[in-house]
Amino acid sequence: MKQLMSPVGVGEKAVRRMFREEAPWDTEDMGGAGPDLDLYEQQLEAIFAPDGLLARHIANYEQRDQQLQLAKAIMASLKRERHLLAEAGTGIGKSFAYLIAASLWALQENKVVIISTNTIPLQSQLVEKDLPLVAAVMADLNLGELRYELAKGRANYLCKRRLEALLLRAQQEEVAHLDVARRLWELKDEVREGDRPSFPMAVPSELWQLIAGDAEDCHGSDSPYFDHCFIQQARRRLSSAHLIITNHAMFFSDLVMRRREGSGIFPSYDHVIFDEAHRIEDVFSSFFARQVTFSQVEMLFRMIRQKWQTWMEDVFDAETLAQLNPLEQKVRQQMLDALDAVGRDLFMPAKPPEEGREMAEDGPAWTVLLNKPLTMPARLEETLTELEQFFRRLLETKAQEEPQRRGLERLLQRAEGLKGEMGFIFGEEGGGGWAHWAEWHVAAGEQLTDLFGQHIALVAQPINARAILPETLFAKVPVTLVSATLATDGDFSFISGRLGLDQYDAFIAPSPFDYQKNVLMVISEHAPFPNVPGQAYERFLVHGLQRVLRQSAGRTLVLFTSYKQMHAVAEKLAPWCASQGRPLLVQEAGGERERLLDQFRREPKGVLFGAESFWEGIDLPGDELQCVVITKIPFANPSQPLTRARLDWIERSGGNPFDEYMVPLAILKTKQGFGRLIRRATDRGAVVFMDSRLVKKRYGRRILSGLPPVRMGKLQDIPAYVKGPDTDGVDAEG
Ligand code: SF4
């Protein structure tokens, strides 16, 4: 266990002053200083002791020293208001460590802690299983009621006013699923939460999106339902909670909102704990993205039409409104023309790619990284200005009620936003810290058509978080970043460098599991290199997997780094699997992961092929998973535009993109893939690497050194570790 509990570079006082004086959303300190750190540590020891308070509530509770040490490290970061980076190996019980520490601190010092996860399953586990137990422990300590709330986005809740408006509209026009809408109206005062699952019937998505909460269409305190609004009630519950559970996506959308509008979804808070923290850079990056698509124009005019139908016709004279139709035609056509021109210039197959503008396949889209500004058509800029002026003129008309004014202000903001995004992306604003690229979303076999511009997206994303997160987050509130995979080469310099977190305490504790005894590792040392052109590696995979599966009779997960390769191998392997009675399940891009996993659990001899999301967040304990095959070292795709831009940026800064970015990222992802195998202390199994670069290349050995020590062996050793459904027992010593 490695523990560094002193701040790096900056004294404690300087950091505290920065948080307390400049943090705009700090809660008022109502609880005084609270217990000192020694007392908190004594409380933690009493809770985590073998016969302690947790043992009263958890059957067969086992004390783990690493869990207590992690809880103490988190408590120190809460109490001293310092940032903490913590890697806690699988099985330590990190969620109880941070929930208990955060609850003790929040209850005794009247603080608010946000706990953010990347995945819904972890969020559900915290709220449904762990927190009721933690609340019981806090009650045993006579610390009072622990209040915790799951924060969900607006679109999860029914908007009573929108539902009423839909039912009124149904008197004049046909409305789909009217019977369900009427039933919702009858039940609206009987349910507590008001989210979709709280209603006893299935609500079709087509209907839900018309009646769910929508910031653009909320009348706020002018709404007749404001006092009984589900969203307002949820916000009130959040504002009295000690712990707010959310996900990274919602956390960053709140942060973006605070940055733009000064306030967000969450009430004031004092500390943020990110679990699954290895994902925050990606989530951050997508939430700070800027984008231009034709569908944004369509959405703007859909909103205008909706307001037109509901009240604009009654307020403005026909002459004023008549200006809108030709304006809409102009905006639509010119926007389509602009995107079409960009798309044809970049993606027309006949045109040879310029240097630095190669097309790359990236999932369902083709992409081109832009290396110089595009030309924003002057006509379009003028037309968008005209649209803004149109809304300004409407706003100057006095005869409007407050909700209507707010609605117009939102339309104006949308129009300004569209012009701002166009200017930002076309002009490559944001400096070298941003990646700008174009995407062509193309369906299989699709040809260029007159509507080509509809399939083009122009995107800009920050290349790394350094330019934004230190100022918007780390300077305002202390954070704890925790994950089973956060460190590379034994420290946090990679992740802290990417995020711009320069001062932090560090804590690393390995998993308590006995990998040496329970895991066999086999490496295909003679496999052809996967990056050599030709089909040799794919042929090797097809034959090599047959050899692995002959030895691994139980459920086997095969992880790929590319959907294309996964489907090519699946197609060739399927007849063999069928002949051997091995059900082959293959992930589809965008397919439902949980459904496939349920199917896999029902197939004792199942073989599951997965890419991307299957590398992490999958919990298949015991014989639900006995063998993991990692086909290739999971390097990021260097032709993906954001990755390309990051590599270029490191090179421009004088660094080595491969050593400083590609390898550390591969270390973290390999740890994630490997971590799928052993989920409980009693689990046992084999991991097979089909990439000889792991032993033949210097970076391969660096990647391997990030994994816990295991027994190395050959394919023939696998049956001693993998119990097939027809096998009676397993040799415990291998
Ligand atoms: S306050 Fe807004 S979200 Fe709530 S019911 Fe009224 S319009 Fe809907």
Side-chain angles (χ1 to χ4, degrees):
M1 195 183 314
K2 180 173 173 177
Q3 206 167 340
L4 169 65
M5 291 306 301
S6 58
V8 182
V10 163
E12 182 190 347
K13 276 199 173 121
V15 180
R16 289 188 62 168
R17 196 163 49 244
M18 183 164 66
F19 294 137
R20 304 311 299 174
E21 289 177 6
E22 294 180 13
W25 62 84
D26 273 347
T27 49
E28 202 183 337
D29 189 354
M30 294 161 65
D36 63 17
L37 194 52
D38 284 348
L39 186 55
Y40 275 126
E41 292 196 346
Q42 287 167 27
Q43 290 177 342
L44 289 170
E45 281 161 14
I47 291 170
F48 287 104
D51 54 353
L53 292 173
L54 258 188
R56 283 194 207 165
H57 297 277
I58 299 178
N60 304 319
Y61 170 77
E62 278 176 38
Q63 192 209 18
R64 296 169 210 146
D65 186 48
Q66 298 99 320
Q67 187 179 39
L68 174 61
Q69 297 312 322
L70 174 61
K72 285 183 177 178
I74 293 170
M75 182 57 87
S77 93
L78 292 164
K79 183 74 186 156
R80 293 174 174 155
E81 298 175 334
R82 296 208 305 234
H83 303 307
L84 172 71
L85 298 189
E87 179 174 275
T90 312
I92 282 182
K94 60 183 163 39
S95 57
F96 271 116
Y98 61 69
L99 290 177
I100 298 249
S103 302
L104 285 174
W105 185 64
L107 276 165
Q108 293 175 90
E109 301 200 26
N110 201 21
K111 301 287 188 186
V112 178
V113 180
I114 294 207
I115 294 171
S116 177
T117 72
N118 187 50
T119 56
I120 302 286
L122 177 56
Q123 219 176 69
S124 312
Q125 178 206 307
L126 296 183
V127 175
E128 288 158 23
K129 284 162 73 181
D130 299 351
L131 275 165
L133 261 164
V134 173
V137 170
M138 296 301 126
D140 289 348
L141 280 168
N142 290 324
L143 292 179
E145 184 200 358
L146 176 71
R147 294 186 298 275
Y148 54 90
E149 279 295 328
L150 177 62
K152 288 181 264 188
R154 265 175 190 276
N156 288 281
Y157 295 97
L158 175 73
C159 167
K160 294 177 185 175
R161 193 198 55 75
R162 294 187 85 200
L163 174 60
E164 183 185 44
L166 179 117
L167 291 171
L168 287 173
R169 251 197 342 269
Q171 293 171 3
Q172 276 141 31
E173 59 188 71
E174 203 170 318
V175 167
H177 311 292
L178 186 57
D179 51 335
V180 183
R182 286 195 176 123
R183 186 82 187 107
L184 286 169
W185 184 255
E186 286 165 12
L187 292 171
K188 71 180 189 318
D189 298 322
E190 288 173 28
V191 296
R192 177 181 178 264
E193 290 259 331
D195 58 350
R196 207 160 151 188
S198 60
F199 293 96
M201 67 287 202
V203 184
S205 299
E206 191 190 346
L207 171 65
W208 187 255
Q209 66 191 27
L210 296 174
I211 56 175
D214 177 357
E216 304 286 354
D217 194 23
C218 173
H219 291 191
S221 54
D222 296 310
S223 160
Y225 298 102
F226 184 74
D227 289 340
H228 305 284
C229 166
F230 291 127
I231 295 162
Q232 297 305 325
Q233 285 167 350
R235 284 196 166 191
R236 283 194 280 276
R237 286 198 299 275
L238 281 187
S239 64
S240 65
H242 298 106
L243 306 187
I244 295 173
I245 315 302
T246 187
N247 56 47
H248 299 346
M250 195 161 167
F251 180 83
F252 283 111
S253 97
D254 173 87
L255 201 65
V256 170
M257 226 189 275
R258 282 174 195 278
R259 200 165 180 243
R260 284 192 192 147
E261 297 164 27
S263 66
I265 307 157
F266 303 129
S268 305
Y269 52 86
D270 301 282
H271 197 106
V272 188
I273 296 174
F274 291 101
D275 195 350
E276 301 175 314
H278 57 283
R279 293 306 309 271
I280 67 171
E281 188 187 10
D282 284 346
V283 182
F284 150 82
S285 202
S286 62
F287 267 87
F288 278 79
R290 320 272 302 247
Q291 178 154 308
V292 171
T293 60
F294 185 67
S295 57
Q296 288 168 318
V297 175
E298 291 197 306
M299 188 186 289
L300 173 64
F301 284 102
R302 229 185 353 258
M303 283 170 61
I304 297 172
R305 236 171 285 123
Q306 194 195 14
K307 291 187 178 13
W308 187 310
Q309 283 165 1
T310 47
W311 61 268
M312 278 163 88
E313 272 179 323
D314 302 332
V315 174
F316 301 111
D317 58 59
E319 201 184 326
T320 308
L321 291 180
Q323 297 166 19
L324 192 60
N325 269 340
L327 199 49
E328 175 176 356
Q329 294 311 320
K330 268 204 295 185
V331 173
R332 280 174 168 277
Q333 195 55 52
Q334 290 174 10
M335 185 70 154
L336 210 50
D337 289 349
L339 291 172
D340 189 89
V342 172
R344 281 173 199 277
D345 181 39
L346 297 172
F347 295 108
M348 276 285 273
K351 189 171 185 290
E354 292 173 38
E355 197 193 334
R357 282 196 171 194
E358 304 101 80
M359 273 169 67
E361 194 174 4
D362 183 27
W366 286 88
T367 59
V368 171
L369 188 64
L370 305 175
N371 56 4
K372 61 182 179 201
L374 300 165
T375 312
M376 167 102 151
R379 274 187 330 147
L380 176 58
E381 200 170 354
E382 282 162 22
T383 307
L384 289 173
T385 308
E386 230 181 288
L387 186 65
E388 280 175 26
Q389 285 164 351
F390 173 77
F391 289 124
R392 284 213 177 85
R393 280 200 301 280
L394 293 190
L395 268 167
E396 280 158 15
T397 308
K398 296 281 176 277
Q400 300 163 53
E401 292 165 14
E402 194 45 38
Q404 297 168 348
R405 286 193 67 74
R406 236 179 296 131
L408 280 178
E409 276 163 10
R410 284 203 197 100
L411 291 179
L412 175 61
Q413 277 167 9
R414 282 249 166 186
E416 286 171 342
L418 191 60
K419 194 170 133 202
E421 300 294 67
M422 293 287 290
F424 188 90
I425 295 176
F426 272 73
E428 288 217 352
E429 290 174 28
W434 286 71
H436 297 72
W437 70 88
E439 291 177 0
W440 172 22
H441 291 261
V442 57
E446 191 181 359
Q447 301 296 318
L448 297 185
T449 67
D450 290 347
L451 299 176
F452 187 47
Q454 285 191 355
H455 302 281
I456 299 295
L458 301 176
V459 187
Q461 273 193 28
I463 287 174
N464 64 38
R466 288 199 73 86
I468 297 175
L469 276 189
E471 172 225 337
T472 51
L473 180 62
F474 303 142
K476 308 249 165 106
V477 67
V479 300
T480 291
L481 269 54
V482 59
S483 169
T485 54
L486 207 56
T488 53
D489 304 313
D491 64 34
F492 296 112
S493 45
F494 173 65
I495 190 88
S496 61
R498 297 289 318 158
L499 298 176
L501 184 56
D502 295 330
Q503 297 121 26
Y504 56 89
D505 292 336
F507 176 92
I508 297 178
S511 164
F513 296 158
D514 190 347
Y515 289 94
Q516 188 88 51
K517 179 178 163 206
N518 291 327
V519 177
L520 172 78
M521 184 185 289
V522 181
I523 300 176
S524 307
E525 293 183 16
H526 303 295
F529 283 175
N531 49 352
V532 171
Q535 301 286 310
Y537 180 68
E538 199 170 294
R539 279 199 300 275
F540 162 76
L541 279 186
V542 174
H543 292 111
L545 281 171
Q546 292 176 20
R547 293 181 61 210
V548 173
L549 291 170
R550 278 197 190 97
Q551 304 295 334
S552 167
R555 291 185 189 84
T556 301
L557 170 67
V558 187
L559 294 171
F560 288 82
T561 57
S562 130
Y563 282 99
K564 204 168 157 190
Q565 186 160 68
M566 179 172 75
H567 287 290
V569 173
E571 200 182 320
K572 294 192 176 102
L573 199 67
W576 182 85
C577 282
S579 72
Q580 302 294 310
R582 303 295 301 264
L584 176 61
L585 310 173
V586 184
Q587 180 198 5
E588 294 297 330
E592 239 192 274
R593 190 173 79 160
E594 290 311 313
R595 193 187 46 75
L596 201 58
L597 288 174
D598 280 347
Q599 212 180 333
F600 185 56
R601 286 188 186 98
R602 290 195 299 271
E603 300 287 1
K605 295 169 90 175
V607 180
L608 174 59
F609 277 19
E612 202 46 51
S613 67
F614 279 70
W615 284 76
E616 57 185 274
I618 288 178
D619 193 24
L620 294 166
D623 62 6
E624 288 184 1
L625 180 62
Q626 296 187 48
C627 180
V628 172
V629 180
I630 292 181
T631 51
K632 266 202 268 189
I633 294 174
F635 285 122
N637 178 358
S639 59
Q640 197 269 342
L642 190 57
T643 306
R644 271 265 305 279
R646 284 174 174 164
L647 299 176
D648 291 349
W649 184 83
I650 294 170
E651 195 157 18
R652 281 200 308 275
S653 316
N656 178 329
F658 187 71
D659 282 350
E660 293 172 25
Y661 184 73
M662 296 295 270
V663 176
L665 219 53
I667 292 174
L668 292 177
K669 194 146 186 181
T670 305
K671 279 163 83 162
Q672 281 289 343
F674 175 90
R676 297 312 97 216
L677 183 64
I678 302 294
R679 309 303 299 167
R680 308 283 183 271
T682 49
D683 286 0
R684 187 172 164 81
V687 62
V688 180
F689 283 99
M690 303 187 77
D691 190 333
S692 57
R693 293 175 299 178
L694 276 170
V695 285
K696 290 186 175 159
K697 295 284 184 185
R698 181 183 49 85
Y699 58 78
R701 291 189 288 277
R702 196 174 148 200
I703 291 168
L704 275 181
S705 70
L707 302 177
V710 292
R711 192 194 141 191
M712 302 300 294
K714 300 196 177 316
L715 286 180
Q716 304 86 281
D717 301 323
I718 291 179
Y721 286 78
V722 175
K723 182 180 67 166
D726 308 326
T727 317
D728 288 337
V730 175
D731 171 5
E733 295 307 314

